[in-house]
Structure formats: C-alpha cells, structure tokens
Amino acid sequence: MTLAVDKLLRPMMVIAAALLAGACDLRRSAVLDPKGPIALAERDLLFDAFFVMMLVVVPVIVLTLAFAWRYRASNTKAAYAPKWAESLRLDAFVWLVPAVIVIAVAVLVWRSTHKLDPYRPIDAAVPPLEVQVVAQDWKWLFIYPDQGIAVVNQLAFPSGRPVSLRITSDTVMNSFYVPQLAGQIYAMAGMQTRLQLLADQPGKFVGRNSMYSGGGFSDQFFEVLSLGPADFDVWVAKARQAPAKLDAPTYTALTAKSRLHPITYYSAVEPRLFDSIIAKYTHAHHAPAAGTPVGAAPRR
C-alpha cells in the first residue's frame, strides 16, 4: 500500500513543482506581465474568468473526494439509499448554481467585449501615432505615413502616446500580437483590421505572428520599442537617413519569402502603398461586368 501511494505522489509532486516554476517565471509569461492599460485589463479579465471557473472546478473536486471517502467500502456507517424519487435541494443546486455562473460570465464578457474593442480609440490628451502594418512571409513591415518612413521587423513609438494600427496581409492570414501591450488580431489579405496600443513607460518588448503561416512561422518575431519623446525623434531621424527607399520595385523584392529578416529602415515610402496592397486582392470584386462602359457606375 505504501509503495503504491509513493508511486502516485511522486509524479504529482513533479507536475506541481513544474507548474509552480512556470507560473513564477514572469519573464516567459508575458501575458501576466503587462506594460500597458490594455494588456493589464486583458490580464485581469483572464484572472476573473479563471476564478469564475474555479467556482465550479473546486467544489466538484472537493465533493468527488468527499463522496469517495464517505462511501468507501470500509465505512459501514454510511447510509446507502439508491432508490428515491426526487430531491428539491439537489435540483436547486444543480440548476441554480450553473445559472448564476452563466449569468456572471455573460455580464463579464459583455462588458469586456465593449471595453476592449480593438477598434475603439484610446482616450488620451495627445493624438495617436498612425502606423500601417503589413504581414509578409515571414516578417512584418511597419509604415509611418506621417513620418514618411518604413521599417521591417521593428515597431517604435513614444511611451504614453496611443498607437493606432491599420493591419493587413500580403500573404496568407497572420495574427499580430504583442502580449505585453495588447491582444492579438488577424491580418488578412484584401482586408484591414485595427488595433490600439499604449505603453505606460519606455521599454523593449517582443511581438510575433501567433497563427501558423508556413515554414518560417517560428522565426516571425519583431522588436517593439517604447521610447521617450526625444528618443523617438532620434529614431525617426535615423530612419530618414537610411539609403534605401521603399518604392514599388523595392517592395516587390521585399515580398519574397525570407527567414530572420534583419531590421531594415526605409527613408521614403511609395505613396499610398498600404492601400495598394489591399486593393490588389480586392480589385477583381469591383471590376466592371463585361460590356459595361469604362467609368460607368457599377451595378448593385
């Protein structure tokens, strides 16, 4: 008996220790170490959902152990009454407790869905920094329309200032994700999604594609820099001094598949490049029907 218990307890102790060590390593658990208000709200939502689930899980585990102990074969004092018609107390417990939990989760999800809408602008005293994001194989392109620059695999912005991202893909579906700053949102060819970011303080973070997109998926990371206002101006000036310019031929070459693409700066960008990337996947849907004069209004 002692040997059997020892064989059972040892694996359980190893698993518990591994889970505890993993939970304590916040450097690897980026979701649990938020650096902005959006990521903080999402972490709190994760905790709230976890505690609501524990309202079901913990009583079930406790009652399972209690029933197993009370009605064990050696306990001759436990009453065994398998024949009964109904129990109002049991019916109330079975129906009311889950109903209360479902209502609580529904309210939580409803409020959080509107509060954490990725399209909802962040309230701030300063206007957001506009950045256009393009997913490629297997890298990320960031275009700064107001600054007239573009960067591959590096996203920089001033800390304390909201960042409004317009996101699309020039390949298969990707998923843009910076765990310490905001939730993930999909990047799809011919479509545009939006995401709002805000970092409370300067720092360096890691972003990635969180959806499998082919052989180079595991290397599709990008650097995220939250800089002070003066440092951000220096970063923009550095990009503007880069010899490369992101014109149409250069962009075509950039779309070729590549792994671990180095951070690359472009001092100028082809006008309306982001819109043209979306349009090249949607023009077929808007092409005039056969026999329709050029310039005629499309039929609806």
Side-chain angles (χ1 to χ4, degrees), residues 90-154:
L90 183 60
D91 283 344
F93 180 80
V94 169
W95 288 101
L96 293 180
V97 173
V100 171
I101 293 175
V102 169
I103 293 173
V105 172
V107 172
L108 183 65
V109 171
W110 175 266
R111 296 179 58 186
S112 301
T113 299
H114 290 277
K115 179 181 178 182
L116 299 175
D117 182 359
Y119 284 66
R120 180 179 179 180
I122 300 174
D123 294 331
V126 294
L129 174 68
E130 298 287 340
V131 181
Q132 299 165 348
V133 184
V134 182
Q136 297 180 337
D137 291 326
W138 288 276
K139 51 191 171 290
W140 293 90
L141 171 65
F142 301 96
I143 302 172
Y144 293 73
D146 294 336
Q147 287 73 26
I149 59 174
V151 187
V152 175
N153 281 343
Q154 187 180 71

Side-chain angles (χ1 to χ4, degrees), residues 14 21 72-73 99 104 117-118 146 164 171 184 190 203 211 225 248 275 278 289 295-296:
V14 172
R72 67 192 186 278
D117 182 359
D146 294 336
S164 182
T171 177
Q184 67 88 28
M211 181 172 182
L225 300 178
D275 294 330
I278 297 177

Side-chain angles (χ1 to χ4, degrees), residues 178-244:
V178 185
Q180 291 182 278
L181 296 180
Q184 67 88 28
I185 193 166
Y186 291 112
M188 295 168 282
M191 300 179 65
Q192 172 188 279
T193 51
R194 300 197 69 112
L195 185 66
Q196 315 299 320
L197 295 180
L198 178 62
D200 291 330
Q201 57 189 0
K204 184 177 180 180
F205 316 106
V206 177
R208 67 158 305 150
N209 171 24
S210 61
M211 181 172 182
Y212 182 73
S213 60
F217 160 77
S218 59
D219 298 322
Q220 196 175 350
F221 293 89
F222 60 92
E223 187 178 70
V224 182
L225 300 178
S226 174
L227 307 171
D231 292 333
F232 178 71
D233 292 338
V234 172
W235 181 86
V236 172
K238 175 184 176 181
R240 287 174 174 167
Q241 294 174 358

Side-chain angles (χ1 to χ4, degrees), residues 10-25 29:
R10 283 187 178 182
M12 294 178 63
M13 293 175 64
V14 172
I15 294 174
L19 292 174
L20 182 61
C24 293
D25 191 357
S29 304

